[in-house]
Amino acid sequence: MARICVDGMNIGLRKTTGIGAYGRNLLTALEGMGHETQVLYGPQAKPSKRPLFNEIGLIDAREMAEKPLDRLFGTASAYLGRTARAVEPSDAVIWPSKGGGRPRASAFWTAGRLFSTAQRNFAARRGITPLRFADPSAVARPDVMHWTTPLPLHATGRANVLTIHDLIPLRLPHVTLDNKRAFFRLCRQAARRADAIAVVSEATRRDVIALLGVPEEKLVTTWQSVDIPARLRDRPDAEVAGDLLSAFDLGWKDYWLHWGAIEPKKNLGRVVEAYLTSGSTRPLVVVGGKGWLDEDETALMHAYRSRGKAARKRIRTFDHLPFSLLVTLIRGARGTIFPSIYEGFGLPVLESMLLDTPVITSNLASLPEVAGDAALRVDPYDAAAISRAIRALDADEALAADLVARGRVQAARFSPEAHRARLQDLYARVL
């Protein structure tokens, strides 16, 4: 058994992100493998002599402005490194359920404004901030520091493992607002310093080798897994159908679903175009908060919905939903429409297959790996092809049933047990 610490930069965000979900799933997998799990936070709050306030600081909703002098000193001294101190979780503090509750970890480490300071240090001098772990008697330091995304930090005296989800800013520079040169430098430095690197698909593996020049033997393709609680996954269909009707006025298997942050790679503009030209009378439900460069993606949707009540009932939009309601929507959908232009993995495809919902997805990047032969795969740049797939699934009950059956088989390839076996191969490189 090893002590493995996972960075909490995305786990600690108030709104769930894909990388935050990955971090929580990783903790669950590590616990299932018998490892002791820890999480590293970089809160706004200053350290306190009282353990209670150190734990409160990890999840405090209050925004605390950083004093200009503290900000300047923190950035200037970052090259000397930062020290993380242990926080033992207690039952006194109630963690927010929206973010997933208290992470499955036996201990937390905290260093004030760690992630923001390290990022400023990298922007100012391209420096990687060294991280040390204090060694109190109550909590032993981790054996491995697992960074769930490239960060300008390196744990000294520990094995460092890095996960790279995708290199989309380099492959599709027109779909993100990142500084591409800075992104490239950060990914390359983080990859060089890592002792082992997890990639979430073979598509990402190829990109990391080609674009960052990382030796192939340093990489382990772990793919991903999803842990959907049994209380949501195994509810009777009749109960879920009742919830759909009362909460959304939607019928069981009688609507289409698209979800994810609204950004160009998600291809929402073509999804709406394909849906409107498909002739389907089933409503389209779009769940996704505003991301970036979303104006072109939402223009057709907003223009159509502005036509009145009937149009708004045909295309329904939600910025954000609790996970339990999202699972309800996935379970009850006729199909998930997810023809992304590019994905590092594509969790909505796996989540849909796990919940017995057919999928229309892309034939590019990682999505064919995840979908296998259990989905209708289309050219994501061809709205007419997406429309034809919608019409086919709309009209053919046998096709829908076949995709559900195939999806169950395909989803088993990404089971928690399979994921743990791949992680075992990853950690064997450093332990």
Side-chain angles (χ1 to χ4, degrees), residues 24 74 139 186 256 284-285 397 406 408:
R24 286 182 176 272
V139 177
L186 174 58
W256 304 98
L284 171 65
V285 178
E397 295 293 341
R406 290 172 182 267
R408 292 171 184 163

Side-chain angles (χ1 to χ4, degrees), residues 105-176:
S106 62
F108 305 128
W109 294 89
T110 178
R113 301 188 186 272
L114 174 67
F115 304 118
S116 58
T117 299
Q119 287 164 342
R120 289 199 302 268
N121 177 45
F122 187 79
R125 58 172 70 92
R126 302 182 186 178
I128 300 293
T129 300
L131 174 71
R132 297 176 291 272
F133 290 89
D135 193 13
S137 57
V139 177
R141 292 180 294 180
D143 302 303
V144 179
M145 181 65 225
H146 191 138
W147 306 102
T148 60
T149 189
L151 292 170
L153 286 155
H154 183 82
T156 60
R158 315 287 104 191
N160 284 254
V161 172
L162 168 67
T163 295
I164 299 180
H165 296 266
D166 61 65
L167 296 179
I168 288 173
L170 304 180
R171 288 299 309 270
L172 286 83
H174 60 286
V175 305
T176 79

Side-chain angles (χ1 to χ4, degrees), residues 6-8 10-32 37 39 41 58-59 95-105 108 148 224-227 419 423:
V6 174
D7 79 84
N10 286 278
I11 292 174
L13 296 177
R14 293 193 181 101
K15 285 191 177 180
T16 303
T17 66
I19 296 177
Y22 172 85
R24 286 182 176 272
N25 287 335
L26 177 61
L27 289 169
T28 300
L30 292 172
E31 186 180 66
T37 55
V39 180
Y41 285 93
L58 303 182
I59 54 173
W95 287 60
S97 58
K98 271 190 177 179
R102 191 171 80 188
R104 301 175 72 149
F108 305 128
T148 60
Q224 291 198 61
S225 184
V226 176
D227 182 25
H419 190 220
L423 288 173

Side-chain angles (χ1 to χ4, degrees), residues 180-249:
K180 283 32 176 212
R181 291 179 183 273
F183 177 81
F184 173 75
R185 285 194 296 266
L186 174 58
C187 289
R188 189 168 62 173
Q189 285 204 46
R192 284 177 176 174
R193 289 175 176 268
D195 298 295
I197 299 173
V199 288
V200 298
S201 65
E202 287 295 307
T204 296
R205 181 190 186 95
R206 291 190 294 271
D207 288 348
V208 169
I209 293 170
L211 300 181
L212 301 183
V214 175
E216 188 170 355
E217 59 272 15
K218 201 172 186 178
L219 303 172
V220 177
T221 305
T222 61
W223 286 284
Q224 291 198 61
S225 184
V226 176
D227 182 25
I228 297 176
R231 62 183 174 81
L232 302 177
R233 186 185 64 238
D234 298 336
R235 289 177 67 209
D237 291 349
E239 274 189 27
V240 178
D243 287 353
L244 287 169
L245 189 61
S246 59
F248 302 105
D249 193 25

Side-chain angles (χ1 to χ4, degrees), residues 48-55:
S48 170
K49 292 181 179 179
R50 294 180 182 272
L52 173 66
F53 286 108
N54 286 327
E55 185 176 3

